[in-house]
Amino acid sequence: MGFGLVVRFVARDAAAAHAFDALAAEALKGIRTKEPGTLVYVNHVVPDEPRVRVFYELYADRAAFEEHERQPHVRRFLAERGQYLESFEVTFLEEISGKGSSGDKAAQ
């Protein structure tokens, strides 16, 4: 069953948002090539809120998420992101049903 999260980041200012995007893009290179259990990892900008970024992350399972957190490219992102941020909020998700890369689930 899939394991996911949504993270809402608020950058300090426009320059910090740009630097944050560059840091996230760097991490994404490693996520794409070294994390088969990371099914979806997307950085979104919020229309009319230029300092806000929302990440949607979906993992094959909790173990895949834990492996993601151990990766050097992710540890660097986690260590350096704070200098660009005013705040962030994490919401963890457990799959109930749906259609997606973790397998289609029948409505319950």
Side-chain angles (χ1 to χ4, degrees), residues 39-40 56 58 95 97-105:
L39 306 176
V40 177
Y56 174 69
L58 180 64
E95 186 176 346
S97 65
K99 176 183 184 284
S101 54
S102 66
D104 290 353
K105 308 286 184 192

Side-chain angles (χ1 to χ4, degrees), residues 30-96:
I31 292 165
R32 283 185 179 125
T33 60
K34 297 180 170 131
E35 296 186 27
T38 301
L39 306 176
V40 177
Y41 193 97
V42 183
N43 180 3
H44 303 269
V45 64
V46 177
D48 301 322
E49 293 186 75
R51 296 185 306 127
V52 175
R53 300 296 183 268
V54 176
F55 282 21
Y56 174 69
E57 305 173 32
L58 180 64
Y59 301 90
D61 51 28
R62 180 77 187 218
F65 168 71
E66 291 168 0
E67 181 62 24
H68 163 80
E69 293 282 291
R70 286 190 287 270
Q71 297 301 308
H73 49 273
V74 174
R75 295 187 62 77
R76 180 174 182 270
F77 172 79
L78 295 174
E80 294 188 21
R81 69 183 178 184
Q83 64 187 310
Y84 307 117
L85 300 176
E86 181 177 291
S87 65
F88 70 93
E89 179 182 329
V90 180
T91 303
F92 290 97
L93 309 168
E94 292 185 5
E95 186 176 346
I96 297 172

Side-chain angles (χ1 to χ4, degrees), residues 10-25:
V10 180
R12 288 190 334 260
D13 53 35
H18 181 72
F20 177 84
D21 290 343
L23 180 64

